[in-house]
Amino acid sequence: MAKKQNNVLPGFRLTLGYTLVYLGLIVIIPLAATFVKSSELSWAEFSHTVFSPQALAAYRLSFGASFLAAAVNAVFGLIVAWVLVRYNFYGKRVVDALVDLPFALPTAVAGITLATLYAPNGWIGAWLAPLGIKVSYTRLGIFVALTFIGLPFIVRTVQPVLADLDPEIEEAAASLGANRWQAFCRVIFPMLSPALLTGFALAFARALGEYGSVVFISSNIPMKTQIVPLLIMSELDGFQYAKATALAVVMLVISFLLLLAINLLQWWNNRHNATSLA
Amino acid sequence: MTDDVKINAPRRLSEPPFVRRLLITVALAFIVLFLVVPLVSVFTEALRQGLGYYFQTLRDPATVNAILVTLIAAGISVPLNCVFGVAAAWTIAKFDFPGKNILLTLIDLPFSISPVISGMIYVLVFGAQGWFGPWLMEHDIRIIWAVPGIVLATMFVTFPFVARELIPLMQAQGRTEEEAARVLGANGWQTFWRVTLPNIKWGLLYGVILCNARAMGEFGAVSVVSGHISGKAGALGTNTIPLHVQILYEANDLTGAFAVASLLTFLALVTLVLKTWVEYKNIGLRGTAFTPVPVGKRPH
């Protein structure tokens, strides 16, 4: 604060003012409109919408599928990050760049591609069909789509932390008699766990809100294969704005809580790194 | 990013060869199954009925119209978010003021909101039953189910991209160079153009690349405000490229859908190449817009 009076740089009022006005117009006012709109509903109407059997089934599916997808990504993402940081192999740079594909590829493209691949006559679906496994248009398909879009989060949060790990710590573990597995479980994994949890939370939050890739691979049947964003969309398509708004408010509150949790995790992550590297 | 010390670590600090090979195989299998196979299948499906049909789909007036709408949406939202990103980064990185962390969190907000909700909030403000709906109707201005709504929804979902790339970069650079310029007699704009901009040009380019990829590929938010009006020659529709993919797919024109999707896939690949190239030039950049770890608090 004391530095402000000494600051010779201009443009504080201009840039802060512009930032706040733009933020207000594009983000804050429209978001506030959602909460105002939902307050027009009575509590009975609100709870009737957000606790309807169809909504409860959608929450269960959204949370379950997102959690499973993030968990699978936590395991394989950690292995991919480990291999990219620690080992050399042919094509490593291409793999490293490809990890971001789910971010760069529009979700609609991912959706139609996965739906076609995992359909009973698709490249992958044809292998699974004789085993009696159906993926496209089932809950398993939703899980596959959410796994695809969550893939980069764990890799990209764990990778920098793993690369910055001080080799001396592992050296110390080795010289104290730990084998590689013990060193990994007792030393490396605990140091990676805040980053791993952050990546998990980011992948989970992203999966909860995902729409584009799921809409194509899910059959969107209420109570069975309808996640919350699809339920909101179907209310909007039927011009049920009050119902859609009520469901959106529930999702927004959940997103804000997740954002808070991610910020706390990140704070823990930094403190963890600061103390362990000091 | 790779550290030779770690890769060529002594045996007691590394894993047995079979463990290494196993882990590399598992990682590659996962990447091939989830990334390479889908990527290859987009182009295979797109060319299923030959090159003739492929180019016929791409030259179709509805496709050309969708490309035009996408270019308009990205052409407006990317520069606006770019100006916002520079302003926000300047105020946050160069000055101290109370509430800075709250501002950082608010800038990040669009990342944590479902695309469907991102589109819906504009329907609530500008739609027929929204706050300004009656007024807009009286004056015959269409925002929802028209191109302005598509632009707004695109601006919302790409809102943080440039800002969150520039904020940590400018925070790390501090303000000593700008202060020196000022002491030497440069005015504010000269300081910005001659000192700040050259320092942040790679970060800015990086943010623009990522912002543009999302702007051209956004589906959910745009889908809510679009109304799916097909464009004809001479009349601009409200379908972007991703929405046109959906329309072709739902009309059972699989090959056509994948042909248009291949354009977006090509854009994604170009984005990844450019991104990797900028990272190669600047080791410090890590693409936090794609992996939204909270700004200013990420591990260094």
Side-chain angles (χ1 to χ4, degrees):
Chain A
M1 294 305 115
K3 277 180 188 163
K4 193 177 169 184
Q5 62 198 54
N6 297 332
N7 203 331
V8 295
L9 298 182
F12 176 62
R13 269 193 234 166
L14 176 73
T15 52
L16 183 66
Y18 182 74
T19 302
L20 293 178
V21 168
Y22 192 72
L23 181 74
L25 284 178
I26 302 295
V27 178
I28 308 295
I29 293 176
L31 271 181
T34 312
F35 286 92
V36 173
K37 182 88 179 174
S38 75
S39 68
E40 289 168 10
L41 290 168
S42 72
W43 172 250
E45 290 169 308
F46 183 81
S47 65
H48 184 73
T49 305
V50 301
F51 298 121
S52 71
Q54 196 180 347
L56 291 176
Y59 301 140
R60 259 200 304 276
L61 180 59
S62 268
F63 277 89
S66 302
F67 187 88
L68 274 181
V72 165
N73 273 322
V75 174
F76 287 98
L78 178 61
I79 295 176
V80 172
W82 180 272
V83 162
L84 285 176
V85 173
R86 296 287 172 111
Y87 305 152
N88 261 336
F89 56 92
Y90 188 72
K92 174 165 144 169
R93 297 192 66 151
V94 177
V95 171
D96 195 11
L98 259 187
V99 166
D100 281 326
L101 183 72
F103 290 135
L105 194 70
T107 51
V109 179
I112 64 166
T113 310
L114 293 174
T116 308
L117 275 178
Y118 286 90
N121 58 351
W123 286 0
I124 299 174
W127 288 88
L128 298 173
L131 307 171
I133 303 170
K134 277 192 193 160
V135 183
S136 284
Y137 322 118
T138 68
R139 294 174 174 191
L140 197 56
I142 298 174
F143 161 77
V144 168
L146 296 181
T147 306
F148 174 83
I149 56 126
L151 191 148
F153 287 97
I154 309 275
V155 181
R156 292 299 186 233
T157 45
V158 170
Q159 214 176 4
V161 179
L162 193 57
D164 288 345
L165 271 192
D166 192 343
E168 281 177 24
I169 294 167
E170 287 166 59
E171 188 99 42
S175 65
L176 290 171
N179 64 31
R180 268 321 270 173
W181 180 241
Q182 286 171 324
F184 178 78
C185 292
R186 306 240 183 120
V187 180
I188 303 172
F189 188 77
M191 293 181 75
L192 292 181
S193 51
L196 200 60
L197 264 175
T198 306
F200 179 89
L202 287 168
F204 180 72
R206 169 74 202 263
L208 271 187
E210 177 59 18
Y211 172 75
S213 58
V214 177
V215 69
F216 295 101
I217 205 168
S218 161
S219 48
N220 195 17
I221 297 167
M223 310 291 295
K224 285 210 177 103
T225 53
Q226 191 176 47
I227 57 167
V228 185
L230 287 175
L231 175 59
I232 296 177
M233 197 61 157
S234 76
E235 298 290 9
L236 285 173
D237 283 342
F239 300 101
Q240 301 288 329
Y241 291 127
K243 283 186 177 177
T245 311
L247 291 165
V249 164
V250 172
M251 288 305 275
L252 282 173
V253 170
I254 293 169
S255 304
F256 295 158
L257 290 176
L258 274 170
L259 188 67
L260 186 72
I262 291 165
N263 272 294
L264 288 173
L265 269 172
Q266 208 39 39
W267 174 78
W268 177 43
N269 194 354
N270 284 349
R271 218 181 49 139
H272 201 268
N273 282 346
T275 49
S276 60
L277 294 177
Chain B
M1 187 153 288
T2 53
D3 187 347
D4 285 341
V5 179
K6 275 168 194 159
I7 287 167
N8 304 317
R11 255 190 78 209
R12 66 203 167 93
L13 291 183
S14 187
E15 291 73 48
F18 79 92
V19 175
R20 284 174 166 239
R21 274 197 290 274
L22 180 71
L23 287 176
I24 291 174
T25 311
V26 169
L28 287 181
F30 186 66
I31 295 285
V32 166
L33 178 67
F34 272 97
L35 301 181
V36 180
V37 171
L39 200 55
V40 173
S41 88
V42 170
F43 293 103
T44 317
E45 295 286 344
L47 295 171
R48 184 151 290 209
Q49 294 179 38
L51 272 175
Y53 191 75
Y54 181 81
F55 285 112
Q56 186 194 323
T57 306
L58 295 190
R59 272 200 306 260
D60 186 74
T63 311
V64 174
N65 214 293
I67 294 172
L68 210 62
V69 175
T70 293
L71 288 178
I72 292 172
I76 296 173
S77 58
V78 174
L80 282 177
N81 284 335
C82 209
V83 173
F84 162 73
V86 173
W90 180 267
T91 201
I92 287 170
K94 307 291 181 193
F95 299 93
D96 295 311
F97 56 93
K100 200 190 266 191
N101 278 327
I102 297 173
L103 184 59
L104 279 170
T105 309
L106 288 176
I107 291 174
D108 261 0
L109 217 49
F111 273 136
S112 50
I113 294 173
S114 171
V116 173
I117 298 175
S118 307
M120 192 195 84
I121 60 177
Y122 289 106
V123 175
L124 296 182
V125 177
F126 298 114
Q129 301 172 19
W131 282 358
F132 302 120
W135 186 88
L136 289 168
M137 248 186 321
E138 247 168 57
H139 293 80
D140 205 25
I141 303 170
R142 297 195 65 132
I143 291 183
I144 300 305
W145 295 3
V147 174
I150 292 174
V151 174
L152 278 173
T154 308
M155 275 165 72
F156 182 90
V157 295
T158 56
F159 182 84
F161 276 70
V162 179
R164 68 153 39 248
E165 235 17 273
L166 289 183
I167 291 167
L169 182 69
M170 280 168 77
Q171 274 177 334
Q173 287 171 349
R175 53 185 169 223
T176 42
E177 288 190 37
E178 282 85 358
E179 278 166 357
R182 289 284 285 161
V183 171
L184 292 171
N187 66 32
W189 285 112
Q190 284 172 327
T191 309
F192 175 75
W193 288 108
R194 306 238 182 117
V195 178
T196 310
L197 203 57
N199 276 339
I200 62 168
K201 63 172 193 266
W202 287 107
L204 193 60
L205 177 66
Y206 197 73
V208 167
I209 293 167
L210 304 190
C211 185
N212 180 63
R214 180 70 194 265
M216 292 192 165
E218 177 53 28
F219 175 72
V222 169
S223 178
V224 176
V225 296
S226 149
H228 307 282
I229 303 160
S230 264
K232 297 183 223 48
L236 203 60
T238 60
N239 282 321
T240 59
I241 305 176
L243 293 175
H244 191 51
V245 169
Q246 182 189 23
I247 284 174
L248 291 173
Y249 185 82
E250 284 175 354
N252 266 327
D253 182 4
L254 261 188
T255 312
F258 276 101
V260 179
S262 75
L263 284 182
L264 292 169
T265 310
F266 185 67
L267 171 76
L269 291 175
V270 170
T271 301
L272 289 185
V273 169
L274 284 175
K275 178 179 174 291
T276 310
W277 173 66
V278 176
E279 278 167 6
Y280 175 73
K281 290 266 182 185
N282 284 266
I283 308 297
L285 297 172
R286 264 173 187 161
T288 50
F290 274 2
T291 327
V293 175
V295 159
K297 295 170 188 172
R298 63 192 167 130
H300 290 289

